[in-house]
Amino acid sequence: MALIRNSKLRPRILIVGGGYLGFATAQRLQKSVAHGEATITVVDPHPYMTYLPFLPEVAGGSIEPRHALVPLRRHLRKCEIVSGKVTKITHAEKSVVVEPGIGEPFELDYDHIIIAAGSVPRTLPIPGLAEEGIGFKQIEEAVALRDRVLTRLDEAALIEDDAERRKALTFVFVGGGFAGIESLAELQDMASDAVRHYDTLTDADIRFVLVEALGRVMPEVGEAQARWVVESLRERGVDVYLETFLKSCENKHIVLSTGEEFDADTVVWNAGVKANPVLVDSDLPIDERGRLQVRADLQVEDDNGNVVEGAWGAGDVAAVPDLTGGGVGGYCVPNAQHAIRQAPVLVQNVLSALRGGDDFKQYSHKTIGSVAGLGVGKGVAQIGDFEARGLLAWIMHRGYHGYAMPTLERKVRLFGNWFVGALFGRDASQVVDLGDPRGAFVEAAHSKPAPKKDTKKEPAKS
C-alpha cells in the first residue's frame, strides 16, 4: 500500500467529507491559507457537495438535480480533491487509508485532520426494509423517487385490476421529522399535479401514508405548528399514523403496529440518522452513539478530557456541545444551520493551531428557527415566537435556503429554476430506464433482423 503525495515539505490539512461542512471549511481555508503554507486535501466518494435541504424540491420537480449540487473541483480549485472513501484512520501515525472507486487502496498522511463525514440513515432490523426500502439522503434517491412516482402513474393508468392499481399508487413514508414531512409533501404535491393529465386516474386513486413512532411530527417546531402540519396533510388526503411503527414490509406488504395491513409499491425511510461509520476503524475517541468526541472549540478530546492534537470535527458526525443549552442531550442537533456556522470556527481554530497559536474560539449558536417547504406555495416556519404557515412560510423557506446555497453560480442556477417554474409550472417529466441505460441498445443488438423480401420478378406470361 503506497503512501501518495507525502506532504512533509508543507503541512497537510486533510478534510474527510465533502458535504456542506467539508465544502464550506475547504472553501474558507483556500481563501485564508497563504501560498505554500499548507496543502488542503478533501476526500469524498462523490465529486460534488449535495445541499440536502433541497432534496425534497428535487424529488418534487421544482429544482433540476444538478443545481442542488456543487462540483468540488470547480469551486475548490486551490484544494487537492481525492475521490475515494476513507476506510481507516490511524491518528497516532497521522495517516488514513483511502479506497478509490477504481484501483488499489492507498495511504495518505496529514498534519491536521478535520472529520466532516456527516451522517447516514439510521435503520432498524425490520423484515423487508433492506430489500424494499429507499432512503432520502442522496441526490440519486431523490431523482429515483420522482421518476418512480411518475412512472407508477403511467403504469397504473393501464392497470385494470383494482388491487394491483392500489398497490402501485400507494407510497409509504416512515419518519415524521423534517426530511420525512418535506419529502412526502413535495412528492404528494407533484403527484396531485401530475394526475390531472390522466383520463383514467384521479386524486382518490393515489395514497400517501406517513408512519411516525412519536405522538407528533417535526419536533423542531412548536406543538401548534406540528398539529397544523398534520391537519394540512390530512386535508390533502395523506393518511397520517402517529404513535405507530412499521413492523414489516416484506414483499411490499405493509404491516403496522396498529394491526393494519396493506400492499404498497414504495417505502421511503426517513426515521433518523446516525454518525457516518467512517470512525469505526479509527483510533479517534467516539461516544456510545458512534459520534466523534469534540470540545466546544471543535478539537477532538479523549475519554479523560485531554485534547487530541491535530484532530478536529464538527457537523453530524460529531457530538458538538451546545453551549446555549438548547440542544437535545446537551449537543447540537444535526442540521445544516449548525454546519453553516461551525465551518468558520473550524477554519479560525485550525489556522491558529497551524500557525502555533492556542487562542481558539468556542462554537456557540442558538437555533434561529426552522423553515420547511410542503409543496409549491405551501410551508411552515417558526422563528423564535413568530410562526408562519402557507405561502409566507414557503417564501421564507426558499429565501433562507437560497441564501445558504454555496457559491453565486449555484444560486443563479437555483433561482433560475424557481423563476422558470413560476412561469411554466414544475417539471414533472421522468427519465425512464435510468437504472438500465444500456437496455434499449442491448435489445436492439439482440433483435432478429427483418426477413429479406423476395425481389425476383416472375417471368411474364405470354
Side-chain angles (χ1 to χ4, degrees):
M1 191 181 298
L3 182 70
I4 69 163
R5 292 186 286 271
N6 191 291
S7 59
K8 294 305 179 183
L9 294 179
R10 58 182 178 181
R12 168 178 277 135
I13 302 172
L14 176 63
I15 303 174
V16 180
Y20 195 102
L21 176 67
F23 175 85
T25 301
Q27 188 180 40
R28 287 175 175 271
L29 278 172
Q30 71 177 2
K31 294 178 181 179
S32 303
V33 170
H35 179 71
E37 184 179 16
T39 297
I40 306 165
T41 303
V42 180
V43 181
D44 194 276
H46 300 106
Y48 51 78
M49 181 278 287
T50 303
Y51 190 68
L52 296 179
F54 282 146
L55 290 188
E57 289 205 46
V58 169
S62 296
I63 296 176
E64 163 64 30
R66 286 182 175 82
H67 296 168
L69 309 175
V70 180
L72 299 182
R73 296 184 188 277
R74 176 171 182 172
H75 294 283
L76 299 179
R77 295 183 180 179
K78 295 182 180 180
C79 298
E80 180 182 50
I81 308 299
V82 178
S83 294
K85 180 180 179 181
V86 172
T87 58
K88 184 177 182 180
I89 302 173
T90 308
H91 189 67
E93 300 176 3
K94 290 195 173 180
S95 72
V96 300
V97 175
V98 178
E99 184 177 301
I102 298 176
E104 295 296 320
F106 55 85
E107 292 184 359
L108 193 62
D109 71 329
Y110 63 84
D111 293 87
H112 289 270
I113 187 170
I114 299 173
I115 308 296
S119 58
V120 298
R122 176 177 57 83
T123 59
L124 298 174
I126 297 173
L129 180 61
E131 294 76 19
E132 306 294 347
I134 181 172
F136 204 79
K137 286 280 290 180
Q138 306 290 334
I139 193 74
E140 295 84 358
E141 292 170 332
V143 174
L145 278 170
R146 183 184 69 184
D147 291 345
R148 188 184 187 95
V149 171
L150 294 173
T151 299
R152 291 301 177 268
L153 287 173
D154 279 346
E155 294 171 347
L158 301 176
I159 297 176
E160 295 183 356
D161 183 81
D162 290 340
E164 285 299 314
R165 188 189 306 111
R166 281 196 301 271
K167 177 180 177 180
L169 294 180
T170 298
F171 308 95
V172 177
F173 289 71
V174 183
F178 257 65
I181 295 293
E182 287 189 292
S183 57
L184 181 151
E186 289 285 354
L187 283 165
Q188 188 274 340
D189 195 51
M190 179 193 68
S192 181
D193 186 51
V195 78
R196 296 180 298 137
H197 302 291
Y198 293 86
D199 295 329
T200 57
L201 297 176
T202 67
D203 273 325
D205 294 308
I206 307 172
R207 185 186 184 191
F208 278 81
V209 180
L210 174 66
V211 179
E212 167 55 44
L214 300 179
R216 57 162 294 178
V217 299
M218 302 176 75
E220 297 87 349
V221 301
E223 288 279 358
Q225 292 288 73
R227 285 195 300 270
W228 178 84
V229 169
V230 170
E231 292 169 2
S232 175
L233 291 176
R234 284 174 172 161
E235 288 176 1
R236 290 162 58 172
V238 177
D239 291 334
V240 180
Y241 292 86
L242 300 179
E243 297 182 315
T244 304
F245 298 90
L246 175 67
K247 294 184 66 176
S248 173
C249 58
E250 285 185 296
N251 301 317
K252 302 183 184 297
H253 183 70
I254 307 300
V255 181
L256 302 180
S257 59
T258 59
E260 183 172 350
E261 299 185 24
F262 54 89
D263 291 332
D265 188 74
T266 304
V267 178
V268 184
W269 184 262
N270 273 307
V273 296
K274 63 181 180 181
N276 192 308
V278 67
L279 297 169
V280 171
D281 193 359
S282 161
D283 58 356
L284 292 173
I286 59 177
D287 66 9
E288 67 281 357
R289 296 176 57 184
R291 300 174 299 180
L292 186 68
Q293 296 178 179
V294 300
R295 308 194 317 174
D297 60 9
L298 307 182
Q299 288 190 96
V300 175
E301 68 174 5
D302 61 22
D303 295 333
N304 298 318
N306 299 317
V307 170
V308 179
E309 298 290 343
W312 311 78
D316 295 4
V317 76
V320 180
D322 188 345
L323 299 184
T324 69
V328 179
Y331 298 101
C332 296
V333 296
N335 61 22
Q337 189 175 143
H338 282 297
I340 291 170
R341 291 164 176 80
Q342 286 168 356
V345 178
L346 265 176
V347 171
Q348 178 179 322
N349 292 349
V350 170
L351 286 180
S352 178
L354 184 69
R355 294 163 181 168
D358 58 3
D359 183 20
F360 300 144
K361 180 180 179 181
Q362 291 191 322
Y363 174 73
S364 178
H365 170 69
K366 185 176 182 179
T367 300
I368 299 174
S370 302
V371 290
L374 305 176
V376 176
K378 311 173 189 74
V380 62
Q382 183 162 336
I383 313 298
D385 294 331
F386 174 77
E387 296 180 347
R389 302 167 183 173
L391 180 61
L392 175 60
W394 178 72
I395 293 173
M396 293 170 65
H397 158 75
R398 285 197 164 181
Y400 172 77
H401 288 297
Y403 166 78
M405 184 69 179
T407 79
L408 177 62
E409 175 252 343
R410 290 288 126 171
K411 292 180 193 291
V412 171
R413 294 181 188 272
L414 179 66
F415 280 94
N417 281 190
W418 289 337
F419 177 74
V420 172
L423 291 178
F424 302 107
R426 75 171 81 241
D427 184 354
S429 57
Q430 75 267 38
V431 180
V432 297
D433 295 331
L434 193 62
D436 184 25
R438 294 185 62 249
F441 176 79
V442 172
E443 182 180 356
H446 290 165
S447 62
K448 295 180 180 180
K452 293 183 179 180
K453 293 183 179 180
D454 187 1
T455 57
K456 294 181 180 180
K457 294 183 179 181
E458 296 182 2
K461 296 180 179 180
S462 56

